[in-house]
Amino acid sequence: MSATPKTALTIAGSDSGGGAGIQADLRTFFACGVHGMTAITAVTVQNSLGVQGFSEVPVDVVTAQIRAVAGDMGVDAAKTGMLATAEIIHAVAETLDEVHIGRHHETPFVVDPVAASMHGDPLLREEALEAIRTELLPRATLVTPNLDEVRLLTGVAVTDTGSQREAADALLEFGSQWVLVKGGHMYDNPECVDLLSDGVQYVELKGPRHDVEHTHGGGDTLASAITASLAKDLGVPDAVSAGKRFIERSVAEAYPLGQGIGPVSPFWRLDHGA
Ligand SMILES: Nc1ncnc2c1ncn2[C@@H]1O[C@H](COP(=O)(O)OP(=O)(O)OP(=O)(O)O)[C@@H](O)[C@H]1O
Ligand SMILES: Cc1ncc(CO)c(N)n1
């Protein structure tokens, strides 16, 4: 019998194309050596060309999935991705309290505030933004928005590393312990600079900007790699550094698949020799 690995729970939507959402989270958890568990919030009809539609999972089924795994198997760290509606966000927030997950409990909780796919297709109903601000961010150990999500949540338009700091401060007002303002979309910067802050420390995580068009699932993969490290008891700054190294290599090794945007790849972490 082998040693039981640490466990991570993702509360997110399914991507039929396998590159983002639940599927990205599970393959990242696997590559990082943690046991992945899921509470599926929505089923998207999606491929490399975009999201053609989605159907939400009934709220009581979403919360029952969280309770089922937390009560039996235990959760060492959790994350959220696509949550679709204010009703789901409200129920998830209440259930996380019930099972002691979040910044005011022992189990770390990462919020990836997914609002749209990289093609611009909406994955969150508009009225749900306020629920993310008021119900999820106060419970978050870390929130990991991209620049579009930062603008939607705070109104701050990030154009450079100076405004990235302003955005981090504005986001912290909503109550998360740490924020990571991702800079992947600052396309005129030759480096990809993500800013991590808890309001005291401001840490710039820098890496080369790889010249690849296949970055589907990049945000989900980063948040999952961070969650996996938190499950393994790393502190937030170390977990985010490990996540940044993980996504950098996964972007570098992204592959074309389908006629549109292919997925980032965590395969490099696995041994293909067998
Ligand atoms: N071309 C690139 N080369 C290297 N790293 C990148 C590149 N693009 C994004 N990244 C990194 O990938 C992570 C995700 O960043 P990004 O700002 O693109 O988030 P996102 O929009 O949520 O991702 P996506 O929409 O691709 O799922 C960040 O750590 C960012 O720095
Ligand atoms: C289901 C799902 N979650 C998240 C994203 C964002 O990458 C996506 N495209 N699809």
Side-chain angles (χ1 to χ4, degrees):
M1 203 165 54
S2 305
T4 302
K6 295 287 191 176
T7 61
L9 168 66
T10 171
I11 305 165
S14 163
D15 167 9
S16 50
I22 285 280
Q23 288 80 356
D25 297 344
L26 280 182
R27 65 188 202 159
T28 304
F29 291 159
F30 175 71
C32 293
V34 307
H35 177 89
M37 306 177 298
T38 61
I40 299 186
T41 57
V43 176
T44 73
V45 178
Q46 187 171 177
N47 55 23
S48 70
L49 298 171
V51 180
Q52 286 89 48
F54 69 79
S55 174
E56 293 127 31
V57 169
V59 175
D60 55 335
V61 179
V62 175
T63 54
Q65 292 171 84
I66 299 172
R67 283 193 201 97
V69 298
D72 174 43
M73 300 154 91
V75 176
D76 293 313
K79 73 165 282 256
T80 51
M82 174 188 182
L83 292 169
T85 66
E87 199 190 0
I88 292 179
I89 293 168
H90 178 69
V92 164
E94 276 192 344
T95 309
L96 290 176
D97 286 349
E98 203 182 296
V99 299
H100 306 296
I101 291 173
R103 64 166 295 194
H104 302 295
H105 305 280
E106 262 186 29
T107 306
F109 171 46
V110 176
V111 174
D112 185 12
V114 171
S117 80
M118 64 194 319
H119 302 85
D121 305 313
L123 295 172
L124 184 74
R125 307 229 188 278
E126 227 173 286
E127 73 280 2
L129 265 183
E130 185 59 11
I132 291 197
R133 286 190 201 98
T134 59
E135 302 200 50
L136 276 196
L137 297 191
R139 293 173 167 85
T141 308
L142 171 71
V143 57
T144 63
N146 67 20
L147 297 192
D148 296 330
E149 292 152 359
V150 163
R151 192 178 33 77
L152 286 171
L153 288 166
T154 67
V156 178
V158 176
T159 51
D160 52 26
T161 47
S163 43
Q164 209 172 7
R165 196 172 166 132
E166 186 192 333
D169 288 339
L171 263 171
L172 283 164
E173 294 284 314
F174 295 114
S176 71
Q177 191 180 353
W178 292 86
V179 301
L180 180 70
V181 178
K182 297 178 292 189
H185 297 200
M186 280 194 280
Y187 296 109
D188 48 3
N189 190 334
E191 292 190 304
C192 281
V193 184
D194 301 341
L195 179 69
L196 175 70
S197 180
D198 62 352
V200 179
Q201 301 180 57
Y202 292 83
V203 185
E204 283 188 355
L205 295 115
K206 295 184 184 178
R209 177 177 295 280
H210 298 300
D211 186 16
V212 293
E213 55 187 303
H214 303 297
T215 55
H216 183 57
D220 317 59
T221 299
L222 171 65
S224 299
I226 295 170
T227 304
S229 286
L230 292 172
K232 291 190 261 187
D233 292 329
L234 267 69
V236 171
D238 288 340
V240 172
S241 297
K244 177 73 174 169
R245 288 195 300 276
F246 189 91
I247 187 61
E248 213 178 281
R249 186 81 187 267
S250 301
V251 170
E253 307 226 353
Y255 48 88
L257 183 65
Q259 301 158 60
I261 301 172
V264 302
S265 172
F267 289 154
W268 59 271
R269 253 311 250 278
L270 305 173
D271 179 1
H272 294 288

